Amino acid sequence: MPAWSIERLGKHHERDAFDCGKQLLDAWLKQFAGQHEKKDLARVYVLVRPGQPRVYGYYAISNCQIAYESLPAQRAKGLPGRQIIPGALLGRLAVDRSVRGQGLGDALLFDALKRIAALSEEIGIQALVVHALDDDAAAYYRHKGFEPFANTPRHLFLPMTIVRKLAGG
Ligand SMILES: CC(C)(COP(=O)(O)OP(=O)(O)OC[C@H]1O[C@@H](n2cnc3c(N)ncnc32)[C@H](O)[C@@H]1OP(=O)(O)O)[C@@H](O)C(=O)NCCC(=O)NCCS
């Protein structure tokens, strides 16, 4: 049996002990994730040990819009300038401090990339967007290959062509 599984957030999941070291991300999981699910604002996926309710990591995904002007010139080339560009938003991604540095952040990100790649076969998605909480989070996303939007170093994106490549690997 695998050591970990990633599944959609449900009522049985225990979130109270979750601690990723960033209060905002802990509080969101505990207080708002369920409401976001219920109101179709986001889908939330949690990392658990198979068959156990305690949550050790999570990410949330939604749709978003990308402004043409926010793209770096080289990435904007060939895209329609007067149109809103469709994107997917990786709203949050966090791993509990007790299990850091074991590749679980990568496992959650890979799961999100696979989901977005599959969705992009059904609806148009030009890029995966993240809004990093702070410089440390932005450094993590850059390390993973995300590129900053023009003039907003904490807002980053991964073009769909790259999402597909990573998800397939
Ligand atoms: C960012 C986070 C999800 C990474 O989780 P993790 O399980 O410790 O990461 P992994 O063990 O999967 O490591 C993945 C890789 O990212 C690197 N990495 C981790 N944190 C990093 C950071 N802050 N800056 C740059 N690289 C980082 C690791 O060195 C590793 O590199 P490698 O692939 O070259 O070996 C975790 O540190 C976390 O929850 N941080 C607090 C919440 C947060 O800031 N989330 C970011 C989005 S809002």
Side-chain angles (χ1 to χ4, degrees), residues 37-97:
E37 267 284 343
K38 198 169 154 194
K39 293 175 181 167
D40 291 321
L41 296 169
R43 289 287 163 257
V44 183
Y45 295 90
V46 295
L47 175 79
V48 294
R49 296 190 195 278
Q52 295 182 24
R54 159 62 155 119
V55 170
Y56 285 94
Y58 79 96
Y59 71 83
I61 45 175
S62 309
N63 291 321
C64 70
Q65 298 184 337
I66 300 168
Y68 175 85
E69 310 77 54
S70 68
L71 287 166
Q74 206 172 348
R75 290 292 182 192
K77 218 183 276 173
L79 293 175
R82 291 194 193 158
Q83 212 173 297
I84 291 291
I85 296 165
L89 177 70
L90 179 62
R92 290 140 213 278
L93 172 77
V95 171
D96 193 274
R97 285 202 282 194

Side-chain angles (χ1 to χ4, degrees), residues 104-141:
L104 295 172
D106 273 2
L108 282 167
L109 182 60
F110 183 59
D111 193 77
L113 295 179
K114 274 195 306 182
R115 236 174 261 285
I116 302 297
L119 269 174
S120 78
E121 299 298 320
E122 305 288 332
I123 58 169
I125 301 175
Q126 221 289 319
L128 175 61
V129 174
V130 293
H131 298 315
L133 199 62
D134 50 31
D135 291 343
D136 186 49
Y140 169 75
Y141 286 122

